[in-house]
Amino acid sequence: LIIGDSHWDGTNLERNTKSALEAQGAEVRTLTKGGTGLAAKANYYGISPTSDNGHVRRTQVGNITATATGLLGNMLNTFAPNLVIIGLASNDIWLYGDHKTDYQTLMTSWLQLFKDAGVTEVRWLGTPYIAKPQNETRKVKIRSYQKEHLRTSPVSGLQTSYTEMTPLTKDLPFVSDNAHFTSAGYSTWSQRLLTSSGPFGDLLAATGGRRVQYSVPISAVRVTSRPP
């Protein structure tokens, strides 16, 4: 299951990543929506409780649930993913950029939702680079919160990892808003995720069929059938 914001929603990043994994035999679903985050507009995913504008309040970060009829709750129940890839946080920078403890508690709450639904692994992707200094300053904070919190698995029994996205996105071409990338930029980003040394490289190797060559002495070869 891939969960992401506008960098994923309908972009080549989403399409190419999903297609590459499916081509190797993986069953993939996506929940992506621009403007969303762990806190920002989290009501879109069916996260509760939220404020009137759909955000998770800092006073509620340890008490969230995914309603069974909401998008996330329904997906976890019906699709039952074993792996979740999550690319949310860019829209949380103004809500939680100065609130490390609250944000890390919110991260744990999301992870617990996944664990309770039977997910065994979560791969967390850091926020991409943005060519707006004020925004990037806050993104640096959010990235540091994520990286620190995921050095160890915050939820027992759930494997978690964090991958920094700045090195994979800093040289990508932007569109006019200096926040989102061009179609070609998103294609390049997906290629970097999917290389053999990238954060999803092992998924391609694990899901695809493997061709194995064995070397055996000729004396051990026995013909059991012949063509007509």
Side-chain angles (χ1 to χ4, degrees):
L1 174 63
I2 299 173
I3 306 174
D5 52 26
S6 57
H7 290 293
W8 290 87
D9 188 9
T11 69
N12 285 345
L13 178 62
E14 178 180 32
R15 283 188 289 271
N16 295 351
T17 302
K18 185 174 186 289
S19 295
L21 293 173
E22 288 177 335
Q24 297 296 319
E27 189 175 0
V28 183
R29 298 288 186 275
T30 61
L31 283 179
T32 59
K33 180 68 174 177
T36 63
L38 298 186
K41 301 294 183 183
N43 65 330
Y44 172 79
Y45 300 108
I47 296 297
S48 178
T50 57
S51 62
D52 291 341
N53 56 11
H55 305 327
V56 176
R57 295 184 177 95
R58 289 198 293 117
T59 55
Q60 297 291 340
V61 292
N63 303 307
I64 65 167
T65 61
T67 58
T69 56
L71 288 176
L72 179 59
N74 182 63
M75 183 69 76
L76 292 174
N77 289 331
T78 59
F79 178 52
N82 62 333
L83 168 64
V84 171
I85 295 168
I86 187 162
L88 295 174
S90 293
N91 297 298
D92 294 328
I93 61 174
W94 299 106
L95 296 169
Y96 284 82
D98 293 322
H99 304 286
K100 170 183 169 181
T101 300
D102 291 331
Y103 198 70
Q104 290 180 337
T105 300
L106 182 58
M107 290 174 65
T108 298
S109 295
W110 274 74
L111 292 171
Q112 189 64 55
L113 292 177
F114 298 140
K115 169 69 183 312
D116 292 345
V119 175
T120 57
E121 181 183 0
V122 174
R123 299 195 182 192
W124 207 293
L125 307 182
T127 62
Y129 177 74
I130 186 171
K132 292 182 176 181
Q134 188 175 11
N135 295 52
E136 178 61 15
T137 297
R138 285 184 170 268
K139 280 196 171 190
V140 168
K141 290 183 178 181
I142 289 289
R143 291 182 199 121
S144 70
Y145 303 163
Q146 294 174 329
K147 185 176 182 179
E148 176 188 279
H149 198 50
L150 297 173
R151 280 188 185 135
T152 58
S153 296
V155 174
S156 178
L158 180 65
Q159 181 181 344
T160 57
S161 61
Y162 171 83
T163 302
E164 179 63 73
M165 288 294 105
T166 303
L168 303 186
T169 58
K170 196 167 186 177
D171 63 343
L172 299 181
F174 287 100
V175 294
S176 58
D177 67 359
N178 283 329
H180 297 88
F181 305 110
T182 64
S183 293
Y186 283 116
S187 292
T188 299
W189 187 358
S190 67
Q191 291 167 6
R192 291 171 177 175
L193 290 174
L194 294 161
T195 61
S196 59
S197 59
F200 299 161
D202 64 311
L203 297 180
L204 298 183
T207 55
R210 295 184 179 182
R211 178 178 299 170
V212 182
Q213 179 175 332
Y214 294 95
S215 177
V216 297
I218 189 65
S219 60
V221 177
R222 182 162 58 98
V223 177
T224 57
S225 64
R226 299 177 182 274

